[in-house]
Amino acid sequence: MTVFAAGWLFFKGDTSDYELLKHQLADPDIKDAQIINWLQEFRNCVTQLSKDHEQLIYVALRLPWLGRSPAVVEEYLSFLSNLVSAQTVYLRACLKMVVSNFKPSEFLPVCVDILITQYGYFEDVLSFDQCHQALQLIGRYVPSTSCFLMPILIDNFPFVQKSSRTLECYVHNLLRVAVYIPSLRRDVLELIISRMLKLDVSAPRGEIEEVEENAVQQELKGEQEEEGLFDMDEDVCSVKSSPAGTNVMVHPVAERLDTLMVVLLAFIKDMCHVNSCLDVERTKDLYKDLVGVFDKLILPTHASCHVQYALFYLCSFRLALAEAFLEHLWRLLQSPSHPAVLRQSAAGYMGSFLARAKFLPVATVRACLDLLVPWLHLYIDSQDSGSRAYCDITLHGPFYNACQAVFYTLIFRHRSILEGNMKKGLAYLQSLNLERIVMCQLNPLKVCLPAVTNMFAAITRSSKLIEPLYQVWEEPADTEVDTVTTKRCSDADEDDFLRGETPETKGVMGMTPGSYESHLHSPSSVGSPPISFLQRPF
């Protein structure tokens, strides 16, 4: 009985042979030779396989062809190409079949056919290679494949609660698609980053740090009990990044996010380099895609702490990219046509980038300060004589965030500005006229985060002028700061500016989101990023 004959009899009302054929195709123990024979039958009558035969086609699409002999794989790929060419009605079904296999099989051991690259993610699983071979073949026969593919990629994205391995495999395969279908790269990056942001905001940095620290302490405690209560061995007393010295995070959400960050950063590096050399044009193209995703997803997202590192990492490859990104943030900040919340967020990212990026030279930092500080003075000029010249976050949000960005930048960069020529450095800092900004009626020190203002006061020449002002604001009777915020004022290690949290108070303004490190360190404090990919060298 041939495929077409069974289908014809089914159409005439005789379902026995048709059901027998479906049963044979669905047999989990079907042999390679049987699969090849049936696929050849399908190929011979593919033009007659109309919508009436869809049940039979769906059974054929579920044949276990992945990981089979090369002869089976070759025959199946030929079947797919013939099917989508002759019956485009089955294009979506074929694409769904391929994409559904982008996730690892529950029964496939982790060690099978996996090659681990230097970046630490799964570079190749045999079945994944065959899926991509099928997808490229379909795209060759149906040029409009990309138009139908993206919704399927979105629908099949695993829930973020799935295992790290499942998410890692799927994201890695999405990025492989973005390589050979470049028209989808922006959409693919947007999809991946949107899912990563869900993980990011669902796990506050403080929570991650607490879980990781508790795990380390428990392990150290166990080792001390085993070795002896007063054992002073260095190995026992050393702090480990994670239990058993591995790179696996104890916090489950942090582990999934960390895994995806490693995959994404590896993709960025691979796309920007050819034979270990930076390809400027490819890098610029990827930068444009990532900045677009940044503007659409990351910039408006409250409390994002880690995902923005992707753009930070890309900008580290070339100074021109970093300067372009800073210029982009500057345009957003000063543009009144953009919503205030986005302008404030842009200022936060700009200050954090200037403060934290080691690859930025002092000249670039000074150039940005030469944009920010005059803008602040002009803003003060426009408000001093008006009726709105008083401290109000809702009216002057971008101004306050820009002030905080300047303070934050100077906290981290004042020494480098003074290095080399102390006299010129001091003259430059004096030319900024920071006292006027601090003492203006808009009162930025009352609004900016206490951790930032405290550190800024500690390093400026004008600390005698600043300290009396904000010391008074620590008094609850003289401020709108609630008890939670007052507690934060005394905590030198707290850094909501970087964590991306906006305190729910009227007296203290947080930055949304935060940025590129974990803590604003006081001179005596030492901290480390809580997520393991930050501990790995770029």
Side-chain angles (χ1 to χ4, degrees):
M1 177 66 64
T2 66
V3 171
F4 181 70
W8 185 81
L9 289 173
F10 173 78
F11 184 73
K12 291 294 184 180
D14 184 356
T15 63
S16 57
D17 288 333
Y18 188 80
E19 292 300 323
L20 178 61
L21 175 56
K22 286 169 56 180
H23 178 74
Q24 290 177 344
L25 290 172
D27 183 1
D29 298 322
I30 190 170
K31 305 302 181 184
D32 285 10
Q34 292 174 294
I35 293 178
I36 292 173
N37 287 335
W38 284 122
L39 288 176
Q40 288 174 345
E41 286 282 349
F42 276 109
R43 288 178 61 194
N44 291 333
C45 62
V46 69
T47 56
Q48 283 81 38
L49 295 175
S50 63
K51 189 71 174 176
D52 297 327
H53 303 93
E54 63 179 11
Q55 290 186 19
L56 194 59
I57 293 296
Y58 292 150
V59 173
L61 289 176
R62 288 196 293 269
L63 279 169
W65 65 283
L66 292 170
R68 292 275 185 165
S69 66
V72 170
V73 173
E74 182 179 355
E75 192 63 42
Y76 197 88
L77 293 177
S78 297
F79 159 69
L80 284 180
S81 59
N82 286 357
L83 180 63
V84 296
S85 299
Q87 305 287 351
T88 54
V89 68
Y90 293 115
L91 174 61
R92 283 193 178 90
C94 292
L95 293 177
K96 287 180 181 179
M97 179 276 297
V98 173
V99 173
S100 67
N101 286 294
F102 279 178
K103 288 167 278 190
S105 169
E106 296 179 3
F107 308 103
L108 180 67
V110 175
C111 59
V112 174
D113 290 323
I114 290 175
L115 301 178
I116 300 179
T117 72
Q118 58 180 319
Y119 309 116
Y121 64 88
F122 303 139
E123 174 62 21
D124 185 25
V125 176
L126 181 58
S127 61
F128 293 160
D129 273 347
Q130 293 166 350
C131 284
H132 289 290
Q133 189 178 356
L135 195 54
Q136 291 177 75
L137 191 65
I138 293 172
R140 196 175 305 142
Y141 283 95
V142 185
S144 61
T145 293
S146 59
C147 299
F148 298 93
L149 181 58
M150 199 62 218
I152 295 171
L153 295 176
I154 294 172
D155 291 342
N156 279 268
F157 201 104
F159 292 117
V160 292
Q161 292 84 8
K162 290 291 186 178
S163 68
S164 294
R165 179 170 178 255
T166 297
L167 292 168
E168 178 180 22
C169 289
Y170 193 78
V171 167
H172 177 57
N173 283 314
L174 286 184
L175 293 172
R176 287 184 67 174
V177 171
V179 173
Y180 57 80
I181 309 181
S183 61
L184 291 183
R185 186 173 69 184
R186 165 72 182 273
D187 292 331
V188 165
L189 288 171
E190 189 173 305
L191 171 60
I192 293 171
I193 289 176
S194 68
R195 297 302 194 270
M196 292 174 67
L197 283 170
K198 288 184 178 180
L199 290 170
D200 201 346
V201 301
S202 68
R205 177 165 279 163
E207 178 184 307
I208 295 174
E209 291 175 335
E210 182 179 358
V211 171
E212 299 302 316
E213 183 178 352
N214 289 342
V216 171
Q217 293 302 322
Q218 287 296 320
E219 184 178 13
L220 293 178
K221 181 179 179 181
E223 290 179 353
Q224 288 172 344
E225 290 176 352
E226 184 177 341
E227 296 292 333
L229 184 60
F230 300 104
D231 197 317
M232 297 300 292
D233 183 78
E234 291 182 1
D235 291 335
V236 175
C237 297
S238 62
V239 178
K240 301 178 181 179
S241 61
S242 55
T246 67
N247 286 322
V248 177
M249 305 291 290
V250 177
H251 194 292
V253 176
E255 169 57 20
R256 291 194 287 270
L257 179 59
D258 182 43
T259 299
L260 298 187
M261 283 298 300
V262 172
V263 176
L264 181 58
L265 296 182
F267 170 78
I268 290 172
K269 182 176 181 180
D270 289 344
M271 287 302 298
C272 295
H273 293 81
V274 177
N275 297 324
S276 301
C277 294
L278 186 70
D279 186 301
V280 176
E281 292 304 316
R282 290 176 56 161
T283 303
K284 286 167 61 177
D285 289 342
L286 182 58
Y287 167 81
K288 292 176 183 176
D289 284 344
L290 280 176
V291 166
V293 177
F294 174 86
D295 287 349
K296 183 176 181 179
L297 298 179
I298 300 177
L299 195 65
T301 299
H302 171 70
S304 168
C305 295
H306 305 104
V307 178
Q308 54 266 31
Y309 271 91
L311 195 55
F312 183 84
Y313 179 50
L314 176 63
C315 288
S316 71
F317 294 164
R318 189 175 174 85
L319 178 59
L321 293 178
E323 292 177 340
F325 182 53
L326 287 167
E327 183 180 356
H328 177 71
L329 294 173
W330 165 244
R331 286 198 301 268
L332 289 173
L333 166 62
Q334 66 171 339
S335 173
S337 63
H338 287 89
V341 65
L342 295 184
R343 296 173 65 195
Q344 292 171 214
S345 185
Y349 276 110
M350 191 173 184
S352 191
F353 197 98
L354 289 170
R356 294 294 189 173
K358 290 183 178 180
F359 48 84
L360 287 181
V362 177
T364 300
V365 175
R366 287 181 54 164
C368 289
L369 289 174
D370 289 341
L371 292 174
L372 286 166
V373 176
W375 184 82
L376 293 174
H377 285 297
L378 287 173
Y379 192 91
I380 293 170
D381 291 340
S382 69
Q383 299 294 323
D384 269 351
S385 59
S387 60
R388 302 193 303 174
Y390 57 90
C391 185
D392 190 322
I393 297 174
T394 58
L395 289 177
H396 311 295
F399 169 80
Y400 291 125
N401 282 68
C403 286
Q404 185 159 280
V406 170
F407 300 158
Y408 195 69
T409 300
L410 290 173
I411 288 170
F412 284 89
R413 297 292 188 170
H414 71 281
R415 290 181 181 175
S416 58
I417 291 174
L418 296 174
E419 282 177 358
N421 191 319
M422 179 72 74
K423 185 176 180 180
K424 286 186 177 180
L426 286 172
Y428 172 74
L429 292 177
Q430 288 175 342
S431 71
L432 298 178
N433 196 8
L434 299 174
E435 290 86 350
R436 180 174 184 254
I437 297 173
V438 169
M439 303 297 291
C440 75
Q441 289 181 310
L442 297 178
N443 213 346
L445 290 187
K446 183 177 181 180
V447 176
C448 293
L449 290 168
V452 176
T453 55
N454 289 337
M455 290 299 294
F456 177 69
I459 62 96
T460 185
R461 297 172 299 96
S462 56
S463 60
K464 292 182 179 179
L465 295 175
I466 298 172
E467 286 175 359
L469 297 175
Y470 68 79
Q471 281 179 343
V472 174
W473 297 333
E474 293 178 0
E475 298 292 332
D478 297 329
T479 69
E480 298 171 28
V481 183
D482 60 17
T483 55
V484 175
T485 305
T486 303
K487 178 180 181 297
R488 287 180 172 177
C489 291
S490 62
D491 187 354
D493 288 333
E494 189 66 38
D495 183 13
D496 291 322
F497 176 76
L498 288 180
R499 292 176 60 181
E501 296 179 359
T502 304
E504 295 181 358
T505 66
K506 295 181 180 179
V508 177
M509 179 186 65
M511 309 299 285
T512 305
S515 73
Y516 304 108
E517 274 259 13
S518 60
H519 287 294
L520 172 64
H521 305 304
S522 64
S524 60
S525 69
V526 177
S528 60
I531 201 160
S532 65
F533 81 87
L534 298 180
Q535 298 168 354
R536 301 171 184 166
F538 290 149

